[in-house]
Amino acid sequence: MSKSIPHRIYLSEDDIPKAWYNLRADMKEKHDPMLNPGTGKPITEEELYPVFCKALAHQELDQETRFIEIPEEVRNFYKIYRPSPLCRAYNLEKALGTPAKIYYKFEGNNTSGSHKLNSAVAQAYYAKAEGLTGLATETGAGQWGTAMAEACSYFGLDLTVYMVKVSYNQKPFRKAIMETFGATVYSSPSDTTNSGRAILASDPNTNGSLGIAISEAVEVAVTNEGKRYVLGSVLNQVLLHQSGIGLESVKAMEMIDEYPDIVIGCSGGGSNLGGLVAPFAADKILGKANPRIIAVEPVSCPSFTRGKYAYDFCDTAKTTPLAKMYTLGCGFQPSANHAGGLRYHAMSPILSKLYHDGYMEAVAVEQTSVFEAATLFAKHETILPAPESAHAIRTTIDEALKCKETGEEKTILFGLTGTGYFDMVAYAQYLDGSMTDYVPTDDDLKPGFDSLPQIG
Amino acid sequence: MSKSIPHRIYLSEDDIPKAWYNLRADMKEKHDPMLNPGTGKPITEEELYPVFCKALAHQELDQETRFIEIPEEVRNFYKIYRPSPLCRAYNLEKALGTPAKIYYKFEGNNTSGSHKLNSAVAQAYYAKAEGLTGLATETGAGQWGTAMAEACSYFGLDLTVYMVKVSYNQKPFRKAIMETFGATVYSSPSDTTNSGRAILASDPNTNGSLGIAISEAVEVAVTNEGKRYVLGSVLNQVLLHQSGIGLESVKAMEMIDEYPDIVIGCSGGGSNLGGLVAPFAADKILGKANPRIIAVEPVSCPSFTRGKYAYDFCDTAKTTPLAKMYTLGCGFQPSANHAGGLRYHAMSPILSKLYHDGYMEAVAVEQTSVFEAATLFAKHETILPAPESAHAIRTTIDEALKCKETGEEKTILFGLTGTGYFDMVAYAQYLDGSMTDYVPTDDDLKPGFDSLPQIG
């Protein structure tokens, strides 16, 4: 064990980035523009104003500004829980017997339990600064909703959360924590919106989906003058706000004279992965370094590995702008046996473009193997990971074991996005053997692909 | 807001203490000795061997050694999650409008969710080092059981946990997390021990209690050669292992030129409070400084504020040695409406002596006011506190509001022992107004006092 590198590398408060990094400014080819589904033309900032507050609409479309200053009020909030630690997984390395050096950027040390708070703080701040009264959003596993509830409580905004029905029923404690922070939480689909009522009418027993919940939240925003919609992933603005994860990782690794050979992150909509890899992807694009970048997704929701690179809606009711993404189709419904998040039908346009252009790899992993990795990690590193984060752990372990075979001392960095305290039902299913894997057949994926709009 | 003091003060890995601090060595009057209930004489180290492993039996009775070296294997484990941060509650101060400076030592950033891991690691290490195969323990709220499960998993020991029935039923996720770390968990009283069967026979509908669960775990230890008993609070050895909390707090406060006017901790059995206050109590005893030290307990389990200072058993079945403690009597049964931990009938002998000798104050607070404080804290500091920790928050807020009235800029340090992720049932009860307070009458306390042994 190297004595010179501590188990936990903490930066100082002054090391919290002063600006977010906008990877798009350094991409040689920009991702295809978001389209107005009515006109088929690139959407304008003004067309986004009914959905997003102005500052965020601007950030969503800004492909040019390399660094965007973080408002002081946002940095003040960040100081409560950031910088997050970069951790050396000495004990996991020892348990695996690998010569690889494993680092993880741990984003779970805040009450929301995940990295989601990084963007929630920013989105709530801009809404408050523009004089809005409230926000509406969706949540799946509950981490994003909790983060938004915290941020809205802090800045004094109302929050309405549409929680995917299957999670709402499985995770009553997630609901309680959001309510502790003052949020109003509905099971989605709900009878509080037209889109929710329509889906309930056609399928009363639906489990719900992120796509449906997004439709409901967007509807609340566009039909209430003082409210706007916020989303915890996929969007360019979210990846921007999450870039602090990557920037802090670079700074911490510089302190210990390290640079990763492999960067690994779980990918649902891409918020964590996009934030973690931003500076490393830039190094690849700019020819400064050539780390492998690996996205890890569930086999049951395989946007990268089995999706199509196509224009699609971000929601099920087809009310949002169109984005060019790796997608399973906005009509895709994830299997009910799927634990945790990473259920979204599509992938961040920025990450989709990076993947399409060969800057990034993707692998899909089965959930029982994910929980096996999670349990091993917990026993040796004493942090119980969120199931989402455990996807990255699975692939990290796989890569570390390859190093064991080859003898290579690779440096691996992965994103430990959050903790699994609210996922004990899934852990219990893994422990008692009742957890199953689900690999969709091509026929299973067909309805989703059939739902793709005929555009682009 | 002072610019010079960050929100989070992190020490380096090298600042993890090399030795625990044994406050007993500096107490002018030692606490009364533990007695063998059979002989009425002070118990010997050897008499403790059937219950505790040898090193811990020695630590339990060692009143002389001021600093006890922390084994390297224990420090290596500590490095995964320590030093814990000292946090400045700028946002809470602002919300209260107080001139007081509020600091908290946050022990919740590990999967066990609390400070309990500090002693669990030590106890598991010594057991493994002496060649034992397993340990048995009790858990109430589940934090101690989780901590022991983590520690035993790490060192490769079997663990049997007797979980107080009411918690076992209310907190299935706590059970799942202990099982994730490989522990065997029984609802207590259980049919696996003589003491459990006896209590079930006399009261089949009992809610269980820590005292009963201790009886069962001790029975497993003394009837299995390769097993010993471990306890998460009350014991002198536990306070010793928790002294790192106080030592790190002193070091972090020195870095920012601070010293507390008031030190506040919640008190159930005293593990956190004893660890946090050890160096500050020493300063008082040695005349170096004179901070107020305040223990905060629930009105429903008022060991300090309404208990008797008397010899008592540590368990309900009266199988343990006798200790001189502030106690409600080993037959005391906490009210079922009481949320979270801090349910133990008695208080650490060391803290009892400090309180008796006037080095410490104690206050009792009602649980609805505790959850009010918890919710306020969460909204402003973004950490959802454990109900136990929130007792300290309640009194911290009360003291800070007194400063607001008087204009005094007092420096307050409190122990934030853990997070409340597994306590959402109680939070939900607080939110929906169904949480009630319970102030026992003198008649309610009588059965407990009647159960006190006629000794000393």
Side-chain angles (χ1 to χ4, degrees):
Chain A
M1 185 186 297
S2 165
K3 285 288 169 197
S4 58
I5 298 174
H7 290 63
R8 295 280 180 270
I9 300 134
Y10 280 103
L11 299 170
S12 78
E13 191 170 288
D14 292 335
D15 292 321
I16 296 173
K18 308 279 189 300
W20 292 302
Y21 170 57
N22 185 6
L23 174 63
R24 287 168 290 176
D26 282 319
M27 286 169 74
K28 285 178 185 155
E29 279 184 43
K30 312 298 184 195
H31 66 80
D32 294 289
M34 205 178 263
L35 301 180
N36 179 323
T39 64
K41 291 185 179 164
I43 207 155
T44 65
E45 206 174 297
E46 290 72 20
E47 287 174 315
L48 290 176
Y49 288 171
V51 180
F52 301 129
C53 72
K54 291 176 181 175
L56 293 170
H58 182 78
Q59 288 180 4
E60 190 59 31
L61 301 183
D62 183 348
Q63 305 242 41
E64 306 303 331
T65 313
R66 184 168 283 108
F67 287 99
I68 294 174
E69 190 184 342
I70 303 176
E72 193 185 343
E73 291 85 343
V74 174
R75 288 191 84 239
N76 280 340
F77 192 121
Y78 281 172
K79 286 174 185 171
I80 309 178
Y81 71 100
R82 304 202 68 81
S84 70
L86 179 74
C87 308
R88 175 77 183 267
Y90 282 117
N91 293 299
L92 179 64
E93 291 170 18
K94 195 173 156 195
L96 297 173
T98 178
K101 290 181 281 185
I102 302 174
Y103 294 90
Y104 53 96
K105 180 73 169 165
F106 180 40
E107 293 287 324
N109 276 352
N110 66 74
T111 285
S112 79
S114 81
H115 68 292
K116 295 285 187 185
L117 194 54
N118 302 330
S119 184
V121 174
Q123 295 191 47
Y125 163 75
Y126 287 118
K128 184 68 179 182
E130 292 181 21
L132 296 168
T133 59
L135 295 169
T137 195
E138 78 297 324
T139 199
Q143 292 177 332
W144 170 246
T146 306
M148 273 312 305
E150 281 198 60
C152 285
S153 164
Y154 182 88
F155 287 113
L157 290 163
D158 286 337
L159 177 68
T160 309
V161 181
Y162 290 90
M163 187 170 185
V164 177
K165 183 178 161 192
V166 62
S167 290
Y168 185 92
N169 291 335
Q170 280 178 0
K171 300 190 174 187
F173 295 170
R174 271 288 182 199
K175 173 173 174 279
I177 196 168
M178 288 186 268
E179 291 175 341
T180 298
F181 286 100
T184 303
V185 185
Y186 296 114
S187 173
S188 170
S190 77
D191 61 2
T192 68
T193 64
N194 289 329
S195 48
R197 285 186 289 267
I199 286 162
L200 282 176
S202 69
D203 183 4
N205 296 317
T206 176
N207 282 318
S209 73
L210 274 179
I212 295 169
I214 291 172
S215 298
E216 293 199 85
V218 169
E219 185 179 325
V220 168
V222 299
T223 56
N224 287 277
E225 183 50 43
K227 296 195 175 180
R228 292 295 183 279
Y229 169 68
V230 286
L231 176 65
S233 193
V234 185
L235 297 173
N236 300 329
Q237 60 188 269
V238 174
L239 269 69
L240 177 72
H241 304 150
Q242 295 294 356
S243 64
I245 302 174
L247 297 173
E248 286 183 11
S249 296
V250 168
K251 197 158 210 168
M253 294 197 96
E254 280 175 358
M255 275 173 56
I256 52 170
D257 286 326
E258 282 279 21
Y259 190 91
D261 297 302
I262 312 176
V263 184
I264 299 171
C266 62
S267 56
S271 65
N272 153 70
L273 183 68
L276 174 68
V277 308
F280 302 106
D283 285 350
K284 284 183 87 131
I285 292 168
L286 302 172
K288 292 184 184 170
N290 196 26
R292 285 177 65 200
I293 297 177
I294 308 177
V296 191
E297 62 185 14
V299 290
S300 56
C301 190
S303 316
F304 271 136
T305 52
R306 296 177 69 191
K308 294 191 198 304
Y309 190 42
Y311 269 106
D312 194 7
F313 290 98
C314 301
D315 70 330
T316 304
K318 304 190 175 186
T319 63
T320 68
L322 294 162
K324 184 85 171 277
M325 310 179 281
Y326 277 87
T327 179
L328 299 164
C330 60
F332 173 81
Q333 291 272 5
S335 161
N337 94 326
H338 175 125
L342 311 183
R343 294 163 173 267
Y344 189 63
H345 66 275
M347 189 56 64
S348 140
I350 294 173
L351 293 180
S352 292
K353 179 68 176 163
L354 289 177
Y355 180 63
H356 185 71
D357 290 351
Y359 292 108
M360 198 164 75
E361 308 164 41
V363 295
V365 292
E366 297 190 346
Q367 71 177 355
T368 52
S369 75
V370 166
F371 277 83
E372 181 195 31
T375 304
L376 184 73
F377 181 83
K379 286 183 178 175
H380 293 283
E381 292 293 317
T382 79
I383 296 169
L384 187 86
E388 299 82 25
S389 324
H391 285 71
I393 297 172
R394 173 74 269 165
T395 297
T396 296
I397 290 174
D398 292 343
E399 291 294 330
L401 290 176
K402 284 183 203 165
C403 289
K404 186 179 181 178
E405 278 185 29
T406 63
E408 289 174 289
E409 285 186 32
K410 286 187 180 167
T411 297
I412 303 173
L413 168 66
F414 77 89
L416 187 68
T417 57
T419 50
Y421 302 115
F422 290 89
D423 300 283
M424 294 319 298
V425 169
Y427 271 94
Q429 286 171 345
Y430 171 71
L431 287 174
D432 71 16
S434 65
M435 175 174 278
T436 56
D437 288 314
Y438 168 71
V439 185
T441 64
D442 288 345
D443 280 353
D444 293 333
L445 295 181
K446 190 167 181 300
F449 291 135
D450 287 347
S451 73
L452 279 169
Q454 302 303 311
I455 294 165
Chain B
M1 187 184 299
S2 163
K3 285 288 171 200
S4 57
I5 299 174
H7 290 62
R8 296 279 181 271
I9 300 134
Y10 280 103
L11 299 171
S12 79
E13 191 169 288
D14 293 334
D15 293 320
I16 295 173
K18 309 279 189 298
W20 293 301
Y21 169 57
N22 186 6
L23 175 62
R24 288 168 288 175
D26 282 320
M27 286 169 74
K28 285 179 187 155
E29 280 184 43
K30 312 297 185 196
H31 67 78
D32 295 288
M34 207 177 260
L35 301 181
N36 180 323
T39 64
K41 290 185 181 166
I43 206 155
T44 65
E45 207 174 299
E46 290 71 20
E47 287 174 315
L48 290 175
Y49 287 170
V51 180
F52 302 129
C53 72
K54 290 177 182 174
L56 293 170
H58 182 78
Q59 289 180 3
E60 190 59 31
L61 301 184
D62 183 348
Q63 305 243 42
E64 306 303 330
T65 313
R66 184 167 283 109
F67 287 100
I68 295 173
E69 190 184 343
I70 303 176
E72 193 185 343
E73 291 86 342
V74 174
R75 287 191 85 238
N76 281 340
F77 193 121
Y78 281 171
K79 287 174 185 172
I80 309 177
Y81 72 99
R82 303 201 68 82
S84 70
L86 179 74
C87 309
R88 174 77 183 266
Y90 282 118
N91 293 299
L92 180 64
E93 291 170 18
K94 195 172 155 194
L96 297 173
T98 178
K101 291 181 279 183
I102 302 173
Y103 293 90
Y104 53 97
K105 180 73 169 164
F106 180 40
E107 294 287 325
N109 275 352
N110 66 74
T111 284
S112 80
S114 80
H115 68 292
K116 295 285 187 184
L117 194 54
N118 301 328
S119 184
V121 174
Q123 295 191 47
Y125 163 75
Y126 287 116
K128 185 68 180 182
E130 292 182 21
L132 297 168
T133 59
L135 294 168
T137 195
E138 78 297 324
T139 198
Q143 293 176 333
W144 170 246
T146 306
M148 273 312 307
E150 281 196 59
C152 285
S153 164
Y154 182 88
F155 287 113
L157 290 163
D158 286 338
L159 178 68
T160 309
V161 181
Y162 289 90
M163 187 170 185
V164 177
K165 184 179 162 193
V166 61
S167 290
Y168 185 93
N169 291 336
Q170 280 178 359
K171 300 191 171 185
F173 295 170
R174 271 287 181 198
K175 173 173 174 277
I177 196 168
M178 288 184 268
E179 290 175 343
T180 297
F181 285 99
T184 303
V185 185
Y186 295 114
S187 173
S188 169
S190 77
D191 61 2
T192 67
T193 64
N194 290 329
S195 49
R197 284 186 291 268
I199 286 161
L200 282 176
S202 69
D203 182 6
N205 296 317
T206 175
N207 282 317
S209 72
L210 274 179
I212 295 169
I214 291 172
S215 299
E216 293 200 84
V218 169
E219 183 178 328
V220 168
V222 298
T223 56
N224 287 277
E225 183 49 43
K227 296 196 176 180
R228 293 294 183 281
Y229 169 69
V230 287
L231 176 65
S233 193
V234 185
L235 297 173
N236 300 330
Q237 60 187 271
V238 174
L239 269 69
L240 177 73
H241 304 150
Q242 295 294 358
S243 64
I245 302 174
L247 296 173
E248 286 182 12
S249 296
V250 168
K251 197 159 210 168
M253 293 197 99
E254 281 175 357
M255 276 172 56
I256 53 170
D257 286 324
E258 284 277 22
Y259 190 90
D261 298 301
I262 313 175
V263 184
I264 300 170
C266 62
S267 56
S271 66
N272 153 69
L273 183 67
L276 174 67
V277 307
F280 302 106
D283 286 350
K284 283 183 87 130
I285 293 168
L286 301 172
K288 292 183 183 171
N290 196 25
R292 286 176 63 200
I293 297 176
I294 309 177
V296 191
E297 62 186 13
V299 290
S300 57
C301 191
S303 317
F304 271 136
T305 52
R306 295 177 68 190
K308 295 192 200 302
Y309 191 41
Y311 269 106
D312 193 9
F313 291 98
C314 300
D315 71 330
T316 304
K318 304 191 175 185
T319 63
T320 68
L322 295 162
K324 183 86 172 277
M325 311 180 280
Y326 277 86
T327 178
L328 299 164
C330 60
F332 173 81
Q333 290 272 3
S335 160
N337 94 327
H338 175 125
L342 312 184
R343 294 163 173 266
Y344 189 62
H345 67 276
M347 189 57 63
S348 139
I350 294 174
L351 292 179
S352 292
K353 179 68 176 163
L354 290 176
Y355 180 62
H356 186 70
D357 290 351
Y359 291 108
M360 198 165 74
E361 308 162 43
V363 295
V365 293
E366 298 190 345
Q367 72 175 354
T368 52
S369 75
V370 165
F371 277 83
E372 180 194 33
T375 305
L376 183 74
F377 181 84
K379 286 183 177 174
H380 293 283
E381 292 293 316
T382 79
I383 296 169
L384 187 85
E388 299 82 26
S389 324
H391 285 70
I393 296 174
R394 172 73 269 166
T395 297
T396 296
I397 290 174
D398 292 343
E399 292 293 331
L401 290 176
K402 285 183 202 165
C403 289
K404 186 178 180 178
E405 278 185 29
T406 62
E408 290 173 289
E409 284 188 33
K410 287 188 181 167
T411 297
I412 303 173
L413 167 66
F414 77 89
L416 187 68
T417 56
T419 50
Y421 301 115
F422 290 90
D423 300 282
M424 294 319 298
V425 170
Y427 271 94
Q429 286 171 343
Y430 171 71
L431 288 173
D432 71 15
S434 65
M435 176 175 279
T436 57
D437 290 313
Y438 168 71
V439 185
T441 64
D442 288 345
D443 279 352
D444 292 334
L445 295 181
K446 190 168 181 302
F449 290 135
D450 287 348
S451 73
L452 279 170
Q454 302 304 310
I455 295 167

